[in-house]
Amino acid sequence: MKKISTRKLTCNITDIEKEESRKITQLKNLAKSDSLDSGEVGELGKMISKKKTILVEKIYRTAHPRAKEELFYKLSDGRWKSNNPTFVANSREELVEKLYDYFFSHTFEEVYLEWVDMRISHGVKSNKTIQEDLSMLRNVFKNEPIFDMQIAEIKKKDIKYMYERWTGQGLITRKAFVNRKSALNGVFIYAAENEYIPFNFIPSIGTSELKFKEPNHYNKALHLDEREKLLNHLKTVEPDGYSLAIQLALYSTFRVGELRAIRYEDVNGNILTIKHQLVEESLFSVDMTHLKVKKTPRHINEKLPKGNAHYSVRDIYLVPEAVEIIKKAHEINPDGEYLFMCHGRTINNDTFNERLRKYCNDAGVPYKSSHKLRFTVASTLKAAGVETAYLQKTLGHSNRAMTEHYINETVEEPKNIEDQLMNALSIC
């Protein structure tokens, strides 16, 4: 297929013209209404076509002030053609449609929102991922030149320059860069699949010479003595849903959402079956007419545990102290739907971490968030000699590499280097 030239126009589309385009989109949405009969739909179609023609001719005339009265060319074979941008169509009406799509339909912003809307409608990504996608658009891409560009006009050099601005001499970490590039790649894959662009060139752009910021290396786990101090302090606290849930989190590898969803009947002796998680989330929808994102208030959903359900739905072995914590939680909340509740409501993530911060401060240990307690227990078990295969199972990971990420935190103070050398090398 011959590549179509789409050189950048010498005019800018004004806000007034963008607003006219939005009105046309509103009419197109109205035409889809089931309440209209075929005659009304036909009349709307004529109105939309007329408005598009007026708008396209106005923009094209501005870009080509020396054009003849007839803006477009009729070829000898009956087809119609425009120059800069160059399009060929079987009729003048079809040519106007192509030009209209070129002017209004495929800016990077619009394609990005279409991509997000597709991910929402397919339901294959969590609301947390969707929220991250939208945050990336608002906080990263909105500040870039490509944001308002037609996606078909974006060149490799535009992306390359953007990468260089992002990274500089080490402005962002490699992880932050990969997250941005991943979103960009997803948008361009979507654009290629919908034939907005010939192909996705993002993977072919070299990044080996970019310089990245070194990530902050800090311990994500409590040391053994810190964990002990925190547990001892928690035993002095008035027991309720939060204090007991935090205690239990220090005895096994729970995600906080899994803790929230535990029911007393999930426990059988010293085995707890993790079946669900509770998550607080908002639902998102994209209004393509006004390029706005709608968000519902947060609500609680019970779902399968995070990750691959074949691995994340799992049995966890409880040590005697953990069994006693569960019994106590049931005693103070015998009729609750969930094991850990406070004032008749399920415990929530924000208050869990607020309480955890207070208890850490009171115990004189560094604060670690709820998720870092998972690191603490996993690394403590690894330091005690528990096999990685078991840790992968109890963490609910399908990927061993992810487990390695959790279990390599320092939970013991490093030994004196001389003692290490003596133990390693001495033959006495």
Side-chain angles (χ1 to χ4, degrees), residues 66-322:
R66 297 182 181 180
K68 299 177 182 179
E69 184 173 345
E70 176 51 74
L71 296 173
F72 313 124
Y73 302 90
K74 189 171 184 179
L75 304 177
S76 59
D77 60 3
R79 295 182 300 162
W80 286 79
K81 179 183 177 183
S82 65
N83 285 329
N84 188 20
T86 300
F87 289 100
V88 177
N90 292 323
S91 66
R92 196 179 192 281
E93 292 74 19
E94 184 181 318
L95 182 61
V96 167
E97 283 289 333
K98 288 187 175 184
L99 287 166
Y100 181 84
D101 285 345
Y102 174 78
F103 294 146
F104 295 104
S105 298
H106 306 139
T107 65
F108 178 82
E109 177 193 17
E110 290 166 324
V111 177
Y112 194 107
L113 287 172
E114 283 185 28
W115 171 67
V116 171
D117 190 43
M118 177 272 293
R119 283 151 72 88
I120 293 172
S121 61
H122 286 187
V124 295
K125 297 296 178 181
S126 69
N127 282 351
K128 182 175 182 291
T129 301
I130 297 300
Q131 190 165 2
E132 289 169 353
D133 293 337
L134 294 169
S135 177
M136 189 83 69
L137 179 65
R138 181 174 61 252
N139 297 323
V140 177
F141 293 112
K142 190 171 184 179
N143 302 315
E144 295 295 338
I146 68 168
F147 185 77
D148 293 316
M149 290 175 65
Q150 297 292 325
I151 200 162
E153 290 182 344
I154 298 174
K155 303 293 188 286
K156 280 188 179 182
K157 64 178 183 179
D158 299 314
I159 304 301
K160 186 71 172 179
Y161 294 155
M162 183 170 68
Y163 286 175
E164 291 170 355
R165 284 194 300 275
W166 284 349
T167 56
Q169 292 299 310
L171 296 175
I172 62 174
T173 63
R174 182 180 293 276
K175 181 180 179 182
F177 173 78
V178 168
N179 289 341
R180 296 179 185 191
K181 184 181 176 184
S182 178
L184 191 68
N185 190 54
V187 172
F188 274 71
I189 289 173
Y190 175 84
E193 289 174 345
N194 286 274
E195 299 183 351
Y196 299 163
I197 55 176
F199 63 96
N200 170 26
F201 58 71
I202 299 300
S204 68
I205 300 174
T207 60
S208 59
E209 76 285 5
L210 298 177
K211 296 179 174 61
F212 299 102
K213 179 180 179 181
E214 286 296 320
N216 292 325
H217 294 287
Y218 62 93
N219 201 34
K220 298 176 182 176
L222 292 169
H223 287 180
L224 297 181
D225 62 324
E226 293 168 344
R227 173 178 173 271
E228 184 178 356
K229 287 173 68 175
L230 181 55
L231 279 169
N232 287 336
H233 173 70
L234 285 165
K235 291 174 184 177
T236 70
V237 172
E238 182 71 24
D240 67 3
Y242 286 101
S243 64
L244 292 172
I246 291 170
Q247 286 186 61
L248 187 62
L250 287 161
Y251 281 106
S252 197
T253 52
F254 301 104
R255 300 176 177 94
V256 67
E258 295 168 351
L259 270 171
R260 297 175 64 195
I262 294 173
R263 291 183 168 90
Y264 187 66
E265 53 265 32
D266 296 335
V267 182
N268 183 13
N270 62 355
I271 299 297
L272 168 60
T273 303
I274 299 297
K275 299 178 180 178
H276 301 100
Q277 65 170 331
L278 289 184
V279 294
E280 294 176 29
E281 57 187 5
S282 298
L283 297 178
F284 295 90
S285 62
V286 179
D287 178 0
M288 291 303 300
T289 302
H290 298 97
L291 299 183
K292 291 183 178 180
V293 177
K294 297 179 180 178
K295 177 181 175 182
T296 63
R298 291 205 307 179
H299 60 282
I300 298 174
N301 278 342
E302 182 175 293
K303 296 183 172 182
L304 287 172
K306 182 180 177 181
N308 186 323
H310 180 72
Y311 298 90
S312 58
V313 175
R314 63 201 189 278
D315 290 339
I316 287 183
Y317 174 80
L318 301 172
V319 297
E321 293 93 330

Side-chain angles (χ1 to χ4, degrees), residues 9-56:
L9 291 174
T10 57
C11 73
N12 293 319
I13 296 173
T14 67
D15 289 339
I16 293 175
E17 290 160 349
K18 290 178 181 177
E19 182 59 28
E20 283 298 313
S21 175
R22 292 189 183 104
K23 290 178 181 177
I24 290 172
T25 301
Q26 289 172 343
L27 290 174
K28 287 167 67 177
N29 291 337
L30 179 61
K32 298 175 184 177
S33 173
D34 294 334
S35 62
L36 300 180
D37 60 35
S38 58
E40 290 170 325
V41 172
E43 286 300 315
L44 266 179
K46 292 177 183 177
M47 185 187 304
I48 291 168
S49 179
K50 183 177 179 180
K51 285 182 175 292
K52 281 185 177 180
T53 300
I54 293 171
L55 191 53
V56 164

Side-chain angles (χ1 to χ4, degrees), residues 222 230 233-234 242-243 246-247 249-250 349-363 365-373:
L222 292 169
L230 181 55
H233 173 70
L234 285 165
Y242 286 101
S243 64
I246 291 170
Q247 286 186 61
L250 287 161
N349 294 19
D350 294 339
T351 305
F352 185 100
N353 280 300
E354 288 172 8
R355 288 282 201 96
L356 179 54
R357 184 184 294 276
K358 179 183 185 306
Y359 297 145
C360 285
N361 289 338
D362 293 344
V365 302
Y367 166 69
K368 305 292 181 183
S369 69
S370 58
H371 194 57
K372 301 306 184 293
L373 299 188

